[in-house]
Amino acid sequence: MRLDGVWRLTLRIRRCRNRACALYHRPYVPEEAGAWALPQAEFGLDVIALVGHLRYRDQRSVPQIHRALRERGVRIAERSVTVLLHRYEELLALWLGDATRLRERLAERGGVILAIDGLQPDVGHEVLWVLRDVRSGEVLLARSLLSATEGDLAPLLAEVRDALAGTEQQCSEDAIPILGVISDGQHSIRKAVARALPGVPHQLCQFHYLREAARPIFEADRHAKKELKKRVRGVRPIERELEGRTDAEAEALRSYCLAIRSALTDDGRPPLAASGLKLKGRLEAVATSLERAERAARANEHGGRGRKGGP
């Protein structure tokens, strides 16, 4: 099943007749068959590509993808969409991990600036360590580890170093140098870099460095936000009083209540966006808008009285 309809393929299975061949009498299929579909699959590669496009570029859900395929005439079950999505992720992982493609892309930039960091979903779980080239954005290695000691991280760095250096058959001139390493201030990472990559410059991540430098400001900002929240209360009673009303004034008041709720729950990202200052600015904007509305209401009220008492 392809996007252009259902096809029936007849594959001629051949076997090597040379008894001296290591593949003697082993069956093999035509190479062109791999351009139509994956082995043991009933949907073409174009369908898999469309499923990945709809999911990761258009951010559509599985039911939405299923409906889009049905509209294009592809007879497919919703469960098969999930299976094809997994196949797409596997193909993408193979393409991203292609050593030849990686070397060609990294060689164009003349070297690698290596970033290393770990992600732990929860306490007690394995830590996913990712080594990435900052210049190209390519992920060079990703592996889960139970611990994060120097002895665990040094082999990961050494594996990337050896992969960039190439094999013995390759010329030493084709080796891709590691120009530097960026990480947070974790001591085990520092020791692992010094052990696996001696002489390579190691710099702290600018974001981590900034966050540590701005920690006193962050604490003061968090305290200010806490104090601001204490002063902004009573939104819920106002919303209860407006229940059942559909006039313009009630709708305007509901909008103000929603704006205040949004401001109270919207956090910044320190140190680049202080949440306390952000809350202060949004509350001032709401207060200014209320003052303008009040002045406009008073002006309309006085204007109406003047017209009523005029000659």
Side-chain angles (χ1 to χ4, degrees):
M1 173 65 69
R2 289 163 49 101
L3 295 178
D4 54 357
V6 181
W7 291 73
R8 179 177 180 177
L9 302 181
T10 302
L11 305 183
R12 292 189 176 184
I13 309 300
R14 301 183 181 274
R15 301 173 186 269
C16 180
R17 299 182 179 182
N18 184 4
R19 295 181 179 273
C21 178
L23 302 178
Y24 170 70
H25 214 258
R26 291 184 59 179
Y28 60 93
V29 299
E31 183 179 356
E32 186 182 356
W36 285 75
L38 295 175
Q40 308 299 324
E42 57 181 315
F43 292 96
L45 295 177
D46 55 348
V47 179
I48 297 178
L50 179 60
V51 168
H53 176 89
L54 294 175
R55 179 68 183 94
Y56 293 107
R57 182 170 181 176
D58 296 347
Q59 300 297 315
R60 298 195 189 181
S61 62
V62 170
Q64 291 173 334
I65 297 174
H66 177 248
R67 184 163 54 252
L69 290 174
R70 298 284 294 182
E71 291 174 353
R72 297 190 60 161
V74 180
R75 293 178 293 177
I76 185 173
E78 186 172 319
R79 184 176 179 180
S80 298
V81 174
T82 304
V83 175
L84 294 184
L85 187 59
H86 293 162
R87 300 291 84 79
Y88 174 84
E89 293 171 347
E90 292 169 355
L91 291 173
L92 182 62
L94 287 173
W95 181 77
L96 292 174
D98 183 18
T100 303
R101 183 192 67 85
L102 278 175
R103 290 188 63 85
E104 290 178 354
R105 175 149 190 205
L106 298 176
E108 295 175 355
R109 303 180 179 272
V112 168
I113 297 178
L114 197 62
I116 176 173
D117 200 4
L119 174 65
Q120 188 174 25
D122 202 353
V123 178
H125 287 70
E126 293 183 342
V127 180
L128 176 63
W129 287 95
V130 178
L131 284 79
R132 183 176 63 91
D133 174 36
V134 176
R135 286 178 159 184
S136 63
E138 294 284 352
V139 176
L140 306 181
L141 181 66
R143 190 164 300 163
S144 296
L145 299 176
L146 291 173
S147 61
T149 63
E150 174 190 350
D152 295 321
L153 299 179
L156 299 184
L157 294 167
E159 184 175 343
V160 172
R161 177 200 63 201
D162 296 340
L164 295 175
T167 60
E168 295 181 358
Q169 289 78 13
Q170 293 175 331
C171 179
S172 59
E173 296 180 357
D174 296 334
I176 302 173
I178 298 178
L179 305 177
V181 180
I182 298 177
S183 72
D184 57 20
Q186 190 171 333
H187 291 288
S188 58
I189 298 180
R190 294 182 181 183
K191 294 180 180 179
V193 171
R195 172 178 164 185
L197 304 172
V200 175
H202 185 191
Q203 176 182 315
L204 287 181
C205 171
Q206 293 91 338
F207 179 80
H208 288 85
Y209 184 86
L210 222 93
R211 186 180 63 181
E212 294 300 321
R215 187 174 294 276
I217 301 177
F218 167 71
E219 296 295 337
D221 179 78
R222 185 171 62 175
H223 178 71
K225 182 178 181 180
K226 182 179 178 182
E227 295 299 321
L228 281 173
K229 283 186 174 182
K230 292 180 181 179
R231 301 182 183 182
V232 186
R233 294 180 178 178
V235 175
R236 184 54 182 161
I238 298 176
E239 292 175 331
R240 287 174 179 169
E241 293 179 3
L242 297 174
E243 291 179 355
R245 291 179 54 182
T246 58
D247 54 286
E249 182 182 3
E251 293 298 327
L253 290 174
R254 287 194 187 95
S255 298
Y256 280 115
C257 291
L258 288 175
I260 294 174
R261 284 186 177 277
S262 176
L264 293 176
T265 57
D266 190 10
D267 291 328
R269 187 178 183 183
L272 303 178
S275 57
L277 291 176
K278 187 176 182 180
L279 175 61
K280 180 177 181 294
R282 295 185 66 173
L283 291 179
E284 288 177 346
V286 172
T288 303
S289 178
L290 285 171
E291 291 175 359
R292 286 199 303 265
E294 185 179 3
R295 287 196 299 267
R298 289 177 180 176
N300 292 334
E301 183 179 355
H302 292 316
R305 289 178 181 177
R307 287 192 298 272
K308 186 176 181 181

